[in-house]
Amino acid sequence: MTLVDNAVYVDGKRSHDPDSLDETFELTRTSGGMAWIGLYRPDEIELLAVAEEFGLNLLIVEDALAGHQRSKLEQYNEQLFVVLRPARYLDDVERVEIGELHLFVGPNFVVTVRHAESPDLARVRKRLEHEVDLLSLGPQAVLYAILDQVVDEYAPVSAGLENDIDEIEDQLFGGDAEVSRRIYELSREVIGCQRAISPLETVVGELQRNPEKYGVPPQLKDNLGDVLDHVLRLIDRITAYRSLLDNALSLSSTLASNRLAETSVAQNEQTKKISSWAAILFAPTLVGTVYGMNFEHMPELDWALGYPMALALMVVLGILLYAAFKRNNWL
């Protein structure tokens, strides 16, 4: 089993480090303490073993095994099942990675099932082990601390997305041909974050507004209110990012259309010039072609001034055509 950490806490202090789940369950029962078990990507057999040992509701286990769920809070008698979608920003590839975290919270135990690298639950455990008074409040204190960590880890994600949007603004006016694709990809990441964060308003709000229903100690109400404030600010920022990207995509389309129109206008101007010079050169060519025919009877063929007149006609036609095209701004 991918058991990351397994401990029993009594009065907020780590009192036992059991070697097995059987021992954990027994120590929890005999000491009156709280078990906190951390699992990383367990398979079905491993999760069912934990469920059997701690009497987890089978409906909760089925939801956990199904996976790929939105953030939610469900209550089954005295047990809570919480799904969270933590995220982290990968600087090397400029991409947001969204994970999944399941929490089983009972009267005297917390089981966390992590399916991604985030959140950093070791940091949560270390923090609570240094805050004995907070940890002594029981499993709901662990739930609060994990919620707080998940929300805090969205801060660098938000900063990374903001930086990406700033870069896109520079690309937009720099004429980068790949900017539309980048906007689309970033929009998908923002939408993914929005889907992960938005349900947290309901999850944290429910715990904060109905502490008695979910067994939350009154001391945690203000703490949950602070987490809720952070969630609401995050939702506002992500919503603003989505709006900015929608506008950027529209602007990208407009700029692309303008560049296409400018290219078309430039091509039309070149076509006009080519056509004009072709017409100017065609006039003397036509005259020369006619007088180059070897017919016996042609006007002015025996006239002494016929040759100069033909040349003059070529020049005059060329000048007249040039003047006409110039006046119409074709040249």
Side-chain angles (χ1 to χ4, degrees), residues 224-245:
L224 289 169
D226 182 63
V227 175
L228 182 59
D229 288 341
H230 283 83
V231 170
L232 293 175
R233 285 198 292 271
L234 274 171
I235 291 174
D236 288 342
R237 294 184 71 179
I238 295 298
T239 302
Y241 293 160
R242 187 169 180 180
S243 178
L244 283 171
L245 288 170

Side-chain angles (χ1 to χ4, degrees), residues 31-90:
S31 67
M34 174 193 73
W36 182 356
I37 301 167
L39 304 175
Y40 179 70
R41 292 179 176 172
D43 58 28
E44 182 178 351
I45 296 175
E46 293 170 342
L47 190 56
L48 288 174
V50 175
E52 182 179 358
E53 199 65 50
F54 286 88
L56 298 180
N57 189 296
L58 291 180
L59 293 175
I60 297 178
V61 178
E62 287 177 5
D63 282 350
L65 291 173
H68 304 291
Q69 302 180 58
R70 299 187 68 183
S71 300
K72 65 179 181 179
L73 167 66
E74 293 180 348
Q75 184 175 31
Y76 297 85
N77 298 323
E78 293 183 327
Q79 297 177 8
L80 298 180
F81 177 56
V82 182
V83 178
L84 301 176
R85 301 304 303 271
R88 62 174 182 160
Y89 186 81
L90 305 177

Side-chain angles (χ1 to χ4, degrees), residues 8 32 45-46 64 68 84 96 101 134 136 155 164 173 176 180 192 202 221 228 243-245 277 299 317 323:
V8 175
I45 296 175
E46 293 170 342
H68 304 291
L84 301 176
V96 177
L101 173 66
L134 179 60
S136 65
D164 288 345
F173 297 101
D176 190 336
S180 295
T202 301
K221 187 173 182 179
L228 182 59
S243 178
L244 283 171
L245 288 170
W277 284 111
L317 286 174

Side-chain angles (χ1 to χ4, degrees), residues 168-306:
I168 280 177
E169 290 176 350
D170 295 334
Q171 288 178 288
L172 269 174
F173 297 101
D176 190 336
E178 295 294 323
V179 67
S180 295
R181 180 184 180 88
R182 181 64 180 121
I183 293 173
Y184 176 74
E185 292 174 347
L186 192 56
S187 295
R188 290 182 60 187
E189 292 181 3
V190 169
I191 291 171
C193 288
Q194 194 173 41
R195 288 176 178 171
I197 296 173
S198 295
L200 286 177
E201 180 181 358
T202 301
V203 172
V204 182
E206 272 291 302
L207 292 170
Q208 199 260 344
R209 288 188 296 268
N210 302 294
E212 297 85 3
K213 177 181 177 180
Y214 298 105
V216 177
Q219 299 94 315
L220 291 176
K221 187 173 182 179
D222 290 341
N223 300 66
L224 289 169
D226 182 63
V227 175
L228 182 59
D229 288 341
H230 283 83
V231 170
L232 293 175
R233 285 198 292 271
L234 274 171
I235 291 174
D236 288 342
R237 294 184 71 179
I238 295 298
T239 302
Y241 293 160
R242 187 169 180 180
S243 178
L244 283 171
L245 288 170
D246 287 343
N247 292 337
L249 193 58
S250 298
L251 179 58
S252 175
S253 177
T254 301
L255 292 174
S257 298
N258 289 343
R259 284 192 292 269
L260 183 61
E262 290 171 0
T263 302
S264 179
V265 168
Q267 289 176 343
N268 287 340
E269 290 298 321
Q270 295 298 324
T271 302
K272 287 179 180 180
K273 291 180 180 180
I274 294 171
S275 300
S276 299
W277 284 111
I280 291 170
L281 294 174
F282 175 73
T285 301
L286 178 62
V287 175
T289 302
V290 171
Y291 277 90
M293 296 179 182
N294 296 320
F295 293 126
E296 183 177 352
H297 301 289
M298 289 185 67
E300 295 88 24
L301 191 61
D302 298 324
W303 186 32
L305 296 178

